[in-house]
Amino acid sequence: MIRYVPKAKYSYSAGQAQSVFLNGLKEKKILGTVCNKCKKVYVPPKMYCEECFKPTDGWVELKDEGIVHTAIASFVSWTRDRLEEPIISGTIKLYGSERDYVFPGMFHRICTTYDKVRDMSIIGAKVKAVWNEKRVGSIEDIQCFKEV
Ligand SMILES: [Zn+2]
């Protein structure tokens, strides 16, 4: 048997759209891109509209509030350990665009109880981002979306 622990380091380029998005988070701004043809707002942003097969037309700032569209509870951690308390996450449809259609929405942790996920009462709940005091341009600059 050979035991080997790789010392691999990864470097990830966020790309044009994600870089603007992540820098926006430093300023407590959630930015998406818009397509003027189909009126879609992409959050997280995309440089191309997947509906119209053309470049998106610009940026829009969304509010850090919205409604819970989907939610899941996981009793398995990132390291595959069993958790006593579940991590709850889901998709949040953000407010703030004059356009109605925001796709697919922020996928993030939701500060709520397991019971509200189990009975699905969290779906449609109004939530607001809980921001870190110190932000570094990471999705982790938002701790979670909490019910308001
Ligand atoms: Zn489009």
Side-chain angles (χ1 to χ4, degrees), residues 39-147:
K39 311 299 183 197
K40 259 188 184 175
V41 175
Y42 288 97
V43 179
K46 291 179 182 248
M47 295 307 291
Y48 280 82
C49 178
E50 61 188 37
E51 186 78 24
C52 305
F53 300 108
K54 71 170 203 58
T56 48
D57 297 300
W59 292 88
V60 64
E61 182 179 346
L62 297 146
K63 289 191 176 171
D64 65 351
E65 304 174 11
I67 61 165
V68 176
H69 192 67
T70 66
I72 59 159
S74 174
F75 286 90
V76 180
S77 76
W78 294 111
T79 55
R80 295 182 287 174
D81 296 316
R82 172 114 176 115
L83 299 171
E84 292 299 319
E85 292 294 319
I87 297 170
I88 297 168
S89 53
T91 309
I92 294 104
K93 295 280 183 186
L94 299 170
Y95 300 138
S97 171
E98 62 273 8
R99 300 162 195 244
D100 291 335
Y101 195 57
V102 177
F103 180 84
M106 286 286 285
F107 184 77
H108 215 292
R109 285 184 298 273
I110 301 168
C111 296
T112 189
T113 64
Y114 176 51
D115 287 343
K116 288 186 174 185
V117 177
R118 196 171 44 204
D119 70 11
M120 296 180 65
S121 62
I122 192 68
I123 306 299
K126 291 181 182 177
V127 290
K128 183 173 176 50
V130 178
W131 295 89
N132 289 329
E133 282 293 314
K134 185 177 181 184
R135 294 175 301 282
V136 295
S138 160
I139 197 67
E140 297 290 331
D141 288 346
I142 297 173
Q143 294 174 23
C144 68
F145 280 81
K146 188 174 185 176
E147 286 181 87

